[in-house]
Amino acid sequence: MVEIAPYGEWTSPLSAEAVAAGSHAPDSARFVGDEVWWAEPISAERRVALLRRIDGRVAPVLPAPWNVRTTVHEYGGGAWTAVGTTVVFSHLGDGRLHRLDGPGLEPVALTPEADGTAFGGLVAADGAVLAVREARTGEGPQDVRRDLVLVPLDASAADDPEAITSVVAGSRFLAQPRISPDGTRIAWIAWDHPNMPWDGTELRVGDLDGGRVTVYRTLLGGPTESVLQPEWLPDGRLAVISDRSGWWNLYRVDPEGGGEPQPLLAVERETGGPLWVLGTRWYLPLPDGRILLTATFGSDDQLLLDPEDGSTVALRTDRSGTSWEDLRDGRALLIDQSAADPVSLWRLDVVDGGFTLLRSGVDDLPRDAFPEAELLEIDGVHAVLYRPRNPGAAAPEGHLPPLVVLVHGGPTSQAGVRMNPAVAYYTSRGIAVVDVDYGGSTGYGRAYRERLAGQWGVVDVEDVVTVARGLAQRGLADPRRLAIEGGSAGGWTVLAALTRTDAFAAGVSRYGVADAVALATDTHDFEGRYLDRLIGPYPEAADVYRERTPITHVDGLSAPVLLLQGLDDRVVPPAQSRLFRDALAARRIPHALIEYPGEGHGFRGREALVSSREAALSFYGQVLGFTPPGVPVLPLET
């Protein structure tokens, strides 16, 4: 029997507790011996666990409190790898690398105790692991130095820091190191402030002697060219991603620096993305010379490329967030998602093109409660629409649903087509959701990405308003009940849109930026100069910062706001949310600020995930005029 109820009041099978308990996106998978292991967040234990599949079931490899995470570049990535049947991982609790010789065995420390030192982007090497090392040199957030290091597997460095070999430094940031098969050379990506890795990086190749670089050459890249992920090919040359054509495409280069880079697949699609975390791979060379790769325009095509004639075979289309993880004996591991699949770990048989699901990111949640994804373009702005969907409910004829506009973080990031439990939490209750790839997003070429250069707080706001009003004009949303929600940089756009326009009736900011000046002067090193390109150099552009920052324009705000903030956030400190809360209180605008102890930039614990989701739904109901069943009422302050 179908329930007839107003939009927003449908009875949903997806509770906030069920969504938090049933969501666990697999990450960073490897072949370990004959098994497949991967990392996965466990919200109930507030950690990232290492898991394996054995005898058809999933089993933990490391018990609590082992936490397989790293803080290199703040966002981490590449926190573990396999060297044969041995696993090396970073433990967040002490920042050290540890060796695990098998399930059930006690990990062995490989690096010494050192406060403020972290290792990430781990890559297997001969008798060692290659890593990006980040060490604090002072008290300030940008007092750090980085180098590429070789950490021996024999634990000799656990008590002797000199046993760690510093391979190369020479730049503020280093990433994606790859040692040649003969061990004589190393390739890596380097960049310096004020660039971010999607702005300008360099491909460097160095000669190795005793594990150290004696001399290196810059083969590709510069301040206006982003190069990513070097990989050694079977013929001794290098493959690398570059956006020199305006699109992240795959090239082949001579490691000696001879000749021009040769495009392997020149298309107006992206093989590449924003390097927020270490360890992501957008392509995977095969021993026979062919290459598995991702080609993105809004959504991912997964292709098998033959570089000799440029031909491709489409393996799958309409995917999102593809990361090629590992290769063994004609089988590849990859992680991706789609509108029909949550974040999932797959094994691909390269010979027959068959995919085998190894781990789904969603358990015990009804699939028919998830919405379909529709790629849209409204006046040049890309977005993904999720209409209300619940097989057990319908709205009265002639009614229009409220709409939540999602604004992704970054801002250099991408929405992608997703089977997202957080989206289904809304749509299964009769709330439409649209995820906007505003100007500055990746996945549409460099020109679209650079629409935000110097225009953060302008173009992003214009684009979310364009999409929201465009959907209302098409009769897909109630124009009086448009809301906006986002985290981090997305939270900035939420607050900017609420203070600069009258398009939205309500907004939810998760650890959002309220004060650009505070962010420019008090954030971590990786993003320490990010705003130079998004707004302008500080303090030279101080007037622009003050004009753009949402807190400056709070007098133009009339819509209620919900602020969600982690108290351990080092990217956007709690002071920013409190500052905006005080401005709301002074103007007697209905609002709430919920602060979560132990949570940082992005909520991980079960309690925060459940509380924040229920609070947002209750908030929307009170402001937009519906009563969601079974959700605690959030007290609003004026």
Side-chain angles (χ1 to χ4, degrees), residues 450-603:
E450 291 189 337
R451 286 185 59 222
L452 204 60
Q455 297 296 308
W456 194 39
V458 179
V459 164
D460 49 325
V461 171
E462 292 172 350
D463 285 359
V464 296
V465 170
T466 293
V467 171
R469 288 178 170 163
L471 291 175
Q473 290 166 3
R474 295 182 183 189
L476 298 175
D478 186 339
R480 299 164 300 173
R481 298 194 291 171
L482 305 178
I484 185 168
E485 178 177 329
S488 187
W492 156 278
T493 304
V494 168
L495 300 179
L498 292 174
T499 54
R500 288 177 169 272
T501 79
D502 60 359
F504 300 101
V508 174
S509 170
R510 291 177 278 108
Y511 36 89
V513 179
D515 185 348
V517 173
L519 183 66
T521 56
D522 184 25
T523 193
H524 62 110
D525 186 55
F526 180 66
E527 295 180 86
R529 300 284 300 278
Y530 192 11
L531 299 192
D532 282 29
R533 184 172 292 261
L534 294 175
I535 298 177
Y538 189 86
E540 294 87 341
D543 290 346
V544 181
Y545 276 72
R546 283 190 291 271
E547 195 278 329
R548 294 280 178 82
T549 198
I551 197 67
T552 305
H553 300 282
V554 73
D555 287 347
L557 178 64
S558 59
V561 181
L562 171 61
L563 303 164
L564 303 168
Q565 179 70 50
L567 291 180
D568 291 351
D569 194 334
R570 296 191 299 176
V571 179
V572 180
Q576 297 232 6
S577 291
R578 292 169 183 167
L579 185 67
F580 205 84
R581 182 270 316 272
D582 293 344
L584 290 165
R587 289 185 53 77
R588 299 180 179 271
I589 296 173
H591 67 277
L593 167 62
I594 306 177
E595 297 180 327
Y596 296 100
E599 295 291 346
H601 199 65
F603 301 152

Side-chain angles (χ1 to χ4, degrees), residues 309-333:
D309 59 14
S311 63
T312 61
V313 175
L315 302 170
R316 288 198 299 194
T317 60
D318 299 323
R319 314 299 292 184
S320 181
T322 304
S323 178
W324 299 95
E325 296 292 312
D326 202 6
L327 181 70
R328 172 79 62 82
D329 299 331
R331 298 170 299 157
L333 299 177

Side-chain angles (χ1 to χ4, degrees), residues 624-635:
L624 302 181
F626 59 86
T627 304
V631 177
V633 176
L634 172 71

Side-chain angles (χ1 to χ4, degrees), residues 61 123 184 193 204 237 325 340 344 444 453 472 532 540 547:
V61 175
V123 179
T184 62
H193 283 320
R204 296 178 178 178
R237 288 182 287 181
E325 296 292 312
S344 300
Y444 304 94
D532 282 29
E540 294 87 341
E547 195 278 329

